[in-house]
């Protein structure tokens, strides 16, 4: 086996909810930049290179929101230290020193060094895990914008690679590490389960048939919602299949090229099962291994793609936002990055080469300038720089389809007459960290309401939506912040037939059998809830979150909200809702931007603009600046009556009161003059 002086990170993230006004939402500068434009079909790139000031020989990189401000940051593993560079939200980063609220953490780590990010603590920003030949440690967030001192963990020695994933389904990131078993020369992968609060106990050790530790990745290879493990072994990949509780059995795996140096996970043929892409350093290729989804864990090599010389790291991202997984590879010998756009069938278009720094060793994906696109950050080990590749997608995604109201009622009693809200949906760009899609809703009254809750990604392509979220993950939280229901892949439920028949009964479009869309049926007592829609393995794309009333007993949907990053074009926030029954329903509709800063939200939309559309696509109400409306006093008193937080006098937040009859409606929240930022769209039933 070849010896490689670098390791490629595998970041993963998850965040918990914060409470706001009866609903729940997530809160979601390296300078001296030199730029030039590089072109790729469907996407253009701007290259910016930054000289590091905190260390030498950067070997690995991880992306995460390390200070909880909703903006992607980067952590760089260097010689003897880890530098944390906090993002400014515009594609630049602050220096890694305490004066800029960043930090450089000194650790006794020797090459090779690998780092990854993960949500190791509930309700706190992501942390970092670092492994090396002599020392392994977890660096946790202190919850206040900084990182704690490294906490060493044992159970594996001479580690070479690390990945984070939730192996027992408890919502906390666990670890898989490649290394040697203590007091032996046996190469192993070690599974560390998170004991809570980022502590890791005695690992489960799985022997591997190799002369030395290699490269690990985590993914759902069978499409059953369980996170499995893959490890390169000589010129092949072994897989270990998870039973859902963190217990593993060996599968068959597949064959790679010569000298694999990095492994990445993504669904490359759109069948709802995650596949593997392996960079092979010795022959300068990428092997694409498609999961067959059988109980034996077999993979078929669908493509072998020539890239550059000395490929060192590979990552997955939807760079042109067409809903198909793409690849990016660092070529250490050529000083380049190769980008491969996926065709959606396990094959890739002709490679395109982007120049970076000298001897690029690793790269990671993230949205660094807040536009919802997938960018790249590359470490260059020979000139001690980080190259930021900002992507700009050519073309605009199509707006979401308007939900179709079901026939019949859905219960009586309403704010005005017998009209009532019976289903809600929100279409938005799903990012990472605090920029995932986070709708909230309130079940009013007393008793229990049965709801169909869905997260649609792949199925949106039938409506002409581009850049969909290939593999959405769905979680429902109660007001205490506990996960009460979750799903990844609607066919993995115990009741897929019931989900399909229920969708038909409430007028929802059908999900394709075996698709990666998510759905569940939940019976919920009155209270406040949030739905979190994210992408598996921090992937991004357009998704539609839906909540349909199936049956109600003394309850009703009383209000909804959606917190998301507002982009431009098709990446604005577009909530939809359906009113059923006779008479009219009076609603308070709001678009909150500047007022969110009182809750610690950074990067807010400075001037939100609000429009309400009927089912025919006609604007029936709009506002920009709630104080400019004809009835600001009524807006303020109505907000107080429904329990909404108050807007500051003269703020740029927007609001309207509307009286709507039965039908389907959508709300569009955009930024004045094409500005972007975080916003909260709200709809309240007025008593």
């Amino acid at each position: 086996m070849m010896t490689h002086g670098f390791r490629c990170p595998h970041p993963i993230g998850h965040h918990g909810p914060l409470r706001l006004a009866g609903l729940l939402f997530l809160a979601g500068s390296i300078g001296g930049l030199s730029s030039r434009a590089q072109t790729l079909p469907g996407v253009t790139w701007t290259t910016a290179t930054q000289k590091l000031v905190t260390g030498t020989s950067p070997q690995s990189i991880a992306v995460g929101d390390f200070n909880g401000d909703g903006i992607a940051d980067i952590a760089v593993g260097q010689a003897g230290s880890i530098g944390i560079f906090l993002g400014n939200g515009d594609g630049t980063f602050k220096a890694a020193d305490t004066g800029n609220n960043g930090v450089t953490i000194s650790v006794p780590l020797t090459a090779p060094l690998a780092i990854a990010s993960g949500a190791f603590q509930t309700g706190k920003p992501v942390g970092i895990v670092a492994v090396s030949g002599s020392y392994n440690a977890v660096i946790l967030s202190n919850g206040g914008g900084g990182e704690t001192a490294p906490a060493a963990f044992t159970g594996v020695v001479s580690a070479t690679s690390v990945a984070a994933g939730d192996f027992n389904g408890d919502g906390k990131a666990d670890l898989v590490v490649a290394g040697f078993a203590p007091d032996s020369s046996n190469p192993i992968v070690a599974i560390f389960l998170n004991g809570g609060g980022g502590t890791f106990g005695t690992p489960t050790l799985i022997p591997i048939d190799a002369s030395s530790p290699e490269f690990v990745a985590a993914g759902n290879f069978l499409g059953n919602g369980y996170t499995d493990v893959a490890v390169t072994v000589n010129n092949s990949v072994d897989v270990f299949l998870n039973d859902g509780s963190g217990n593993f059995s060996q599968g068959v795996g597949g064959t790679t090229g010569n000298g694999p140096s990095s492994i990445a996970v993504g669904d490359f043929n759109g069948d709802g099962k995650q596949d593997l892409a392996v960079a092979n350093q010795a022959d300068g290729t990428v092997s694409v291994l498609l999961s067959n989804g059988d109980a034996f864990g077999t993979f078929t090599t669908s493509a072998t793609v020539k890239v550059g010389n000395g490929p060192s790291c590979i990552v997955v991202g939807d760079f042109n936002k067409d809903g198909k997984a793409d690849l990016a590879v660092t070529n250490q010998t050529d000083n380049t990055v190769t980008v491969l756009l996926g065709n959606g069938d396990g094959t890739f278009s002709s490679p395109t080469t982007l120049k970076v720094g000298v001897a690029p060793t690793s790269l990671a994906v993230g949205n660094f300038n807040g536009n919802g696109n997938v960018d790249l950050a590359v470490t260059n080990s020979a000139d001690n720089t980080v190259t930021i590749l900002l992507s700009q997608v050519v073309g605009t995604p199509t707006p979401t389809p308007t939900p179709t109201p079901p026939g019949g009622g859905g219960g009586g009693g309403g704010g005005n007459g017998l009209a009532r809200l019976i289903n809600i949906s929100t279409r938005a760009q799903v990012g990472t960290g605090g920029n995932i899609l986070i709708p909230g809703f309130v079940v009013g009254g007393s008793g229990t309401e049965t709801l169909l809750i869905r997260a649609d990604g792949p199925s949106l392509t039938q409506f002409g939506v581009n850049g969909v979220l290939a593999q959405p993950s769905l979680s429902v939280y109660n007001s205490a912040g506990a996960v009460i229901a979750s799903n990844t892949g609607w066919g993995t439920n115990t009741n897929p037939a019931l989900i399909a028949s229920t969708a038909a009964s409430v007028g929802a479009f059908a999900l394709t059998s075996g698709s990666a869309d998510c759905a569940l049926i939940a019976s919920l007592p009155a209270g406040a809830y949030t739905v979190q829609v994210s992408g598996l393995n921090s992937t991004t794309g357009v998704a539609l979150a839906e909540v349909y009333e199936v049956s109600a007993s003394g309850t009703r949907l009383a209000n909804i909200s959606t917190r998301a990053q507002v982009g431009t074009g098709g990446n604005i926030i577009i909530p939809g809702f359906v009113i059923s029954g006779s008479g009219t329903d009076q609603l308070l509709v709001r678009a909150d931007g500047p007022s969110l800063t009182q809750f610690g939200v950074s990067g807010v939309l400075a001037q939100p603009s609000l429009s309400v559309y009927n089912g025919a696509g006609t604007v029936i109400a709009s506002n920009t600046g709630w104080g400019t409306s004809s009835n600001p006093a009524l807006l303020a008193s109505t907000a107080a009556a429904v329990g909404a937080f108050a807007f500051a006098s003269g703020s740029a937040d927007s609001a309207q009161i509307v009286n709507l009859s039965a039908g389907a409606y959508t709300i569009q929240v955009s930024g004045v003059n094409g500005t972007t930022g975080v916003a909260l769209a709200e709809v309240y039933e007025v008593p």
Side-chain angles (χ1 to χ4, degrees):
M1 146 119 194
M2 300 178 60
T3 300
H4 310 289
F6 44 80
R7 291 301 182 266
C8 186
H10 301 277
I12 189 171
H14 172 82
H15 298 266
L18 300 175
R19 179 156 176 113
L20 172 63
L23 296 174
L24 300 169
F25 75 111
L26 284 188
S29 310
I30 299 177
L33 305 177
S34 60
S35 300
R36 61 187 185 276
Q38 305 186 60
T39 302
L40 191 70
V43 58
T44 61
W45 299 83
T46 300
T47 305
T49 300
Q50 168 62 42
K51 186 76 174 178
L52 293 177
V53 296
T54 59
T56 59
S57 301
Q59 303 167 44
S60 54
I61 189 167
V63 172
D65 180 8
F66 300 120
N67 61 347
D69 65 354
I71 299 172
D73 312 311
I74 61 174
V76 178
Q78 308 156 132
S81 68
I82 298 173
I84 298 177
F85 301 83
L86 300 180
N88 293 317
D90 60 358
T92 65
F93 296 81
K94 299 173 183 175
D97 56 52
T98 55
N100 288 283
N101 296 320
V103 64
T104 298
I105 301 169
S106 297
V107 284
L109 298 169
T110 59
L113 165 67
I115 65 174
S117 59
F120 303 123
Q121 306 171 94
T122 301
K124 291 186 179 180
V126 299
I128 300 166
V129 58
V131 300
S132 77
S134 60
Y135 180 81
N136 309 318
V138 174
I139 304 165
L140 301 175
S141 169
N142 63 12
E147 306 293 320
T148 64
F153 64 90
T154 59
V156 60
V157 298
S158 300
T160 57
S161 180
V162 62
D166 183 4
F167 297 124
N168 59 353
D170 64 356
K172 296 184 289 292
D174 308 309
L175 302 176
V176 55
V177 182
F180 287 101
D183 304 319
S184 80
S185 59
N186 298 323
I188 50 92
V189 290
I191 308 294
F192 291 86
L193 296 182
N194 192 335
T199 60
F200 298 87
T202 303
T204 298
L205 303 183
I206 303 174
I208 58 175
D209 185 18
S211 59
S212 63
E214 300 207 4
F215 305 91
V216 292
N220 178 18
F221 305 133
L222 302 188
N224 58 6
Y226 302 147
T227 304
D228 309 308
V229 170
V231 57
T232 59
V233 177
N234 302 318
N235 293 333
S236 63
V237 173
D238 278 354
V239 297
F240 299 94
L241 304 176
N242 188 356
D243 68 358
S245 301
N247 301 310
F248 293 83
S249 60
Q250 185 162 5
V252 174
T255 303
T256 70
N258 190 14
S261 58
S262 179
I263 185 170
V265 174
D267 182 4
F268 302 124
N269 60 351
D271 65 353
K273 297 178 288 291
Q274 291 194 303
D275 310 307
L276 296 169
V278 180
N280 306 303
Q281 188 177 54
D283 58 18
T285 64
V286 168
S287 299
V288 180
L289 283 67
L290 300 182
S291 173
N292 295 319
D294 54 55
F296 302 103
T298 62
F299 286 74
T300 300
T301 301
S302 72
T304 300
V305 183
K306 182 66 179 176
V307 287
N309 294 311
S312 54
C313 186
I314 187 168
V315 294
V316 176
D318 184 5
F319 303 121
N320 59 348
K321 296 173 71 173
D322 64 352
K324 302 168 185 175
D326 309 317
L327 295 171
V329 184
T330 51
N331 303 303
Q332 190 170 13
T333 304
D334 296 344
N335 305 328
T336 61
V337 166
T338 296
V339 177
L340 301 167
L341 296 182
N343 296 319
D345 59 359
T347 65
F348 292 81
S349 62
S350 299
T352 299
T353 301
L354 307 175
K355 293 293 292 184
V356 290
V358 182
T361 56
S362 65
L363 75 169
V365 297
N367 178 215
F368 303 128
N369 59 358
N371 65 356
N373 296 338
V374 182
D375 308 314
L376 291 166
V378 184
T379 58
N380 307 299
S381 61
D383 61 8
N384 304 326
T385 62
V386 171
T387 298
I388 305 297
L389 295 166
L390 299 178
S391 68
Q392 299 85 40
V393 176
V394 177
T396 302
T398 304
T400 187
T402 301
T404 302
N416 296 285
L418 297 177
R420 56 179 290 157
L421 287 169
I422 59 169
N423 90 271
I424 59 178
S425 67
T426 299
R427 183 265 196 189
Q429 173 73 24
V430 176
T432 58
N435 289 329
I436 63 175
L437 175 56
I438 314 162
F441 62 91
V442 169
V443 176
S446 60
T448 300
E449 183 132 353
T450 299
L451 302 170
L452 171 66
I453 303 174
R454 308 200 311 182
D456 312 326
S459 287
L460 296 182
T461 57
Q462 65 185 295
F463 300 101
V465 179
N466 296 318
V468 300
L469 186 63
Q471 289 187 291
S473 181
L474 168 68
S475 296
V476 182
Y477 289 78
N478 64 15
S479 59
V483 177
I484 57 174
S486 62
N487 174 248
T488 302
W490 73 281
T492 66
N493 282 286
T494 59
N495 58 347
L498 178 61
I499 288 174
S501 62
T502 301
S505 71
V506 298
F509 63 85
L511 300 179
T512 304
S513 177
S515 76
D517 307 279
C518 304
L520 57 88
I521 297 173
S523 295
L524 304 178
Y529 301 90
T530 51
V531 177
Q532 292 192 14
V533 179
S534 58
L536 286 181
N537 296 317
S538 299
T539 51
T540 62
V542 177
L544 180 70
E546 301 178 284
V547 178
Y548 291 87
E549 184 183 84
V550 178
S551 63
S553 176
T555 58
R556 59 188 292 127
L557 288 173
N559 71 288
I560 62 173
S561 71
T562 299
R563 184 270 194 192
Q565 177 77 21
V566 175
T568 58
N571 289 328
I572 62 177
I573 302 179
I574 313 174
F577 57 92
V578 171
I579 296 174
S580 182
S582 60
T584 60
D585 203 7
Q586 188 173 71
L587 304 174
L588 171 66
V589 184
R590 309 204 308 179
D592 315 330
S595 288
L596 297 181
T597 57
Q598 64 185 297
F599 302 101
V601 180
S602 301
V604 301
L605 187 62
Q607 286 187 291
S609 181
L610 169 69
S611 297
V612 181
Y613 290 78
N614 63 17
T618 302
V619 177
I620 57 175
S622 62
N623 176 248
T624 302
W626 72 284
T628 66
S629 67
S630 60
N631 56 352
L634 179 60
L635 288 170
S637 62
T638 301
V642 299
F645 64 87
F647 287 158
S649 177
S651 76
D653 307 280
S654 300
Q656 271 282 27
I657 295 174
V658 291
N659 292 285
L660 304 178
S661 57
Y665 301 86
T666 55
I667 300 167
Q668 294 192 12
V669 178
S670 58
V672 174
N673 296 322
T675 52
T676 62
V678 177
L680 181 71
E682 301 176 278
V683 178
Y684 293 86
E685 268 198 339
V686 179

